[in-house]
Amino acid sequence: MNIIIAGGDGFCGWPTALYLSKQGHDVSIIDNMARRKWDEELKSNSITPIADLKERVEKWKELTGKEIRTYEGDLNHYDFLKEVLRQERPDAFVHFAEQRSAPYSMIDREHAIFTQVNNVVGTLNVLYGIKEMVPDCHLIKLGTMGEYGTPNIPIEEGYLEVEHKGRKDVLPYPKQPGSFYHLSKVHDSHNIMFTCKIWGIRATDLNQGVVYGLDTEETQMDPILANRLDYDGVFGTALNRFIIQSTVGHDLTVYGKGGQTRGFLNIKDTVRCIEIAAENPADKGEFRVFNQFTEEFSVLDLANKVQKVAQEEGFNTDVAHLDNPRVELEDHFFHAENTKLRDLGLEPHLLTDEVIREILRTVMNHKDRVIEENVLPSVTWK
């Protein structure tokens, strides 16, 4: 298949591009390098050194003989996007190209507006581009489990059967997003669902949990192919952040009580889920929702797991409960369905002590790159 990866220079997009290329698909990347610019803005960095995109794809071709074409530009620039679609004529468009950090969206008014305009308008442009240029193309959109919030009932995969005053219907599952970033994803989902209905777009919305891990088989082939790994209070996700904190002698920073429970998955499962969605496309006019995670943990569960492995590796670290910078429930019911991807063949990589140990040992090689003042949260919701 011809597959475009928008956001293909990022944490999820880069390993996905390599994996799909290795599987024999004809892959191209769209990226505006925004994630690298946000590092400069925040005076932060990836703990792993990352090569520029040109070097990365050249090394991939040298090692495998497979070409990944790159287009540097912004989905908010519609003429650019249309030209890429005209040249590539993709069978699938994988859309990672959004501002992905809840804290970044909550810094101030400008960052909230940027996040929503960048994400919502970019996705609208993709929808119009598919309609006008490649109407049979399958949109595979990265959503988030954070669209649902933490309702006191089980979370279904996109839809809920409701009985009300003697009548029944199947309706989109209610959304309770917890940041301006998560709201942008909800707006995307509504826009995609609407265009599936009116234009016959075929789309899969992957409501992904929190991703952990660093390497896939492909990114381990050469240091030039290394993936980024974030640890700061703005872009670092819980598990990766805890592992990095443990290696530099920092307390593991649990926000509030630590009972906040979420769905998690390994980066190796992210790339496989994209392959499953691509090879089993939605029907024309279908808006399909998969909950893309493999296990559920509370934040305190994760901190305790990391603390145990860190101590076995000779790092004595404490768990510290910080005042929660977010406005969220810290003790709540959480259960979500995630059977659709498994039914299509996903075999999950589960979070074992060995998985944590592998990430920790990789991090140890680069711990001199940690900017310690960036580890603590600096953005508050209030």
Side-chain angles (χ1 to χ4, degrees):
M1 298 170 68
N2 181 302
I3 302 177
I4 291 177
I5 311 286
D9 187 51
F11 172 61
C12 290
W14 174 242
T16 300
L18 297 186
Y19 177 76
L20 292 177
S21 175
K22 182 183 174 187
Q23 299 301 103
H25 298 292
D26 185 12
V27 175
S28 56
I29 286 172
I30 297 175
D31 207 296
N32 66 355
M33 308 303 144
R35 181 64 194 88
R36 296 172 186 257
K37 294 167 189 167
W38 297 330
D39 273 346
E40 294 173 13
E41 175 196 344
L42 298 169
K43 297 180 173 55
S44 192
N45 62 336
S46 163
I47 193 172
T48 46
I50 50 171
D52 67 39
L53 184 58
K54 183 172 183 290
E55 286 181 272
R56 286 171 145 186
V57 297
E58 285 175 352
K59 177 58 71 174
W60 179 247
K61 187 170 184 180
E62 176 190 321
L63 293 172
T64 67
K66 296 177 183 293
E67 181 185 18
I68 296 177
R69 294 173 298 286
T70 60
Y71 299 89
E72 186 169 345
D74 196 321
L75 298 186
N76 280 262
H77 300 153
Y78 188 56
D79 289 346
F80 159 78
L81 174 60
K82 273 183 71 174
E83 180 58 24
V84 176
L85 293 173
R86 186 190 68 77
Q87 289 185 40
E88 290 292 333
R89 315 300 298 181
D91 300 298
F93 189 104
V94 180
H95 185 7
F96 289 116
E98 297 198 315
Q99 192 296 97
R100 66 167 179 83
S101 163
Y104 190 89
S105 77
M106 302 299 290
I107 291 173
D108 55 23
R109 183 188 67 85
E110 286 84 358
H111 287 80
I113 288 172
F114 168 78
T115 297
Q116 295 216 350
V117 171
N118 179 79
N119 294 1
V120 177
V121 173
T123 297
L124 271 172
N125 278 342
V126 171
L127 291 167
Y128 268 96
I130 290 173
K131 172 181 179 277
E132 294 180 7
M133 304 300 295
V134 279
D136 206 41
C137 177
H138 176 208
L139 173 61
I140 301 168
K141 169 67 165 59
L142 194 74
T144 168
M145 288 297 294
E147 290 190 28
Y148 299 120
T150 53
N152 199 35
I153 59 172
I155 296 170
E156 304 297 331
E157 299 200 62
Y159 296 91
L160 180 67
E161 185 175 307
V162 177
E163 185 170 349
H164 180 64
K165 294 186 177 179
R167 301 190 67 83
K168 281 186 180 179
D169 205 348
V170 176
L171 300 171
Y173 197 95
K175 306 293 177 71
Q176 300 181 75
S179 72
F180 290 121
Y181 153 73
H182 290 101
L183 277 157
S184 76
K185 293 287 195 178
V186 172
H187 303 330
D188 285 340
S189 293
H190 287 153
N191 285 337
I192 298 167
M193 182 169 62
F194 181 64
T195 58
C196 287
K197 182 169 67 175
I198 62 170
W199 298 336
I201 300 280
R202 57 179 81 228
T204 300
D205 206 5
L206 297 172
N207 283 338
Q208 181 168 257
V210 182
V211 183
Y212 63 84
L214 168 64
D215 288 315
T216 60
E217 286 183 23
E218 295 74 37
T219 65
Q220 289 179 305
M221 289 169 62
D222 190 279
I224 296 293
L225 303 180
N227 199 16
R228 69 175 299 123
L229 187 64
D230 299 305
Y231 62 90
D232 59 84
V234 176
F235 279 95
T237 56
L239 183 73
N240 286 348
R241 189 161 46 86
F242 291 157
I243 291 171
I244 291 164
Q245 287 172 342
S246 74
T247 66
V248 297
H250 201 290
D251 288 346
L252 308 187
T253 52
V254 171
Y255 298 166
K257 296 176 184 176
Q260 304 94 310
T261 302
R262 304 288 185 266
F264 290 81
L265 79 161
N266 192 304
I267 186 70
K268 294 173 182 174
D269 290 332
T270 292
V271 303
R272 174 68 177 129
C273 289
I274 299 298
E275 179 187 34
I276 288 170
E279 294 183 349
N280 300 274
D283 293 332
K284 194 165 179 62
E286 181 185 11
F287 177 66
R288 185 174 65 170
V289 181
F290 294 163
N291 290 344
Q292 183 170 306
F293 72 97
T294 56
E295 297 178 275
E296 297 171 0
F297 298 106
S298 74
V299 175
L300 189 56
D301 289 338
L302 294 180
N304 289 335
K305 281 176 172 286
V306 171
Q307 184 184 38
K308 173 179 175 287
V309 174
Q311 288 176 343
E312 292 169 0
E313 293 294 310
F315 297 100
N316 289 317
T317 187
D318 294 321
V319 175
H321 292 263
L322 304 186
D323 288 340
N324 195 342
R326 304 186 179 210
V327 177
E328 61 184 357
L329 294 176
E330 296 176 10
D331 185 12
H332 58 86
F333 171 83
F334 186 87
H335 176 70
E337 296 296 327
N338 62 339
T339 58
K340 292 182 180 178
L341 284 160
R342 291 173 190 256
D343 290 347
L344 289 171
L346 176 64
E347 297 177 1
H349 294 79
L350 301 181
L351 183 59
T352 63
D353 286 356
E354 286 311 306
V355 170
I356 294 173
R357 199 180 319 279
E358 181 185 342
I359 303 167
L360 190 147
R361 287 177 175 171
T362 302
V363 164
M364 284 165 55
N365 297 328
H366 302 293
K367 67 179 186 177
D368 59 311
R369 289 174 53 86
V370 173
I371 303 168
E372 288 200 37
E373 56 266 33
N374 289 350
V375 171
L376 292 174
S378 57
V379 180
T380 63
W381 265 228
K382 292 180 179 178

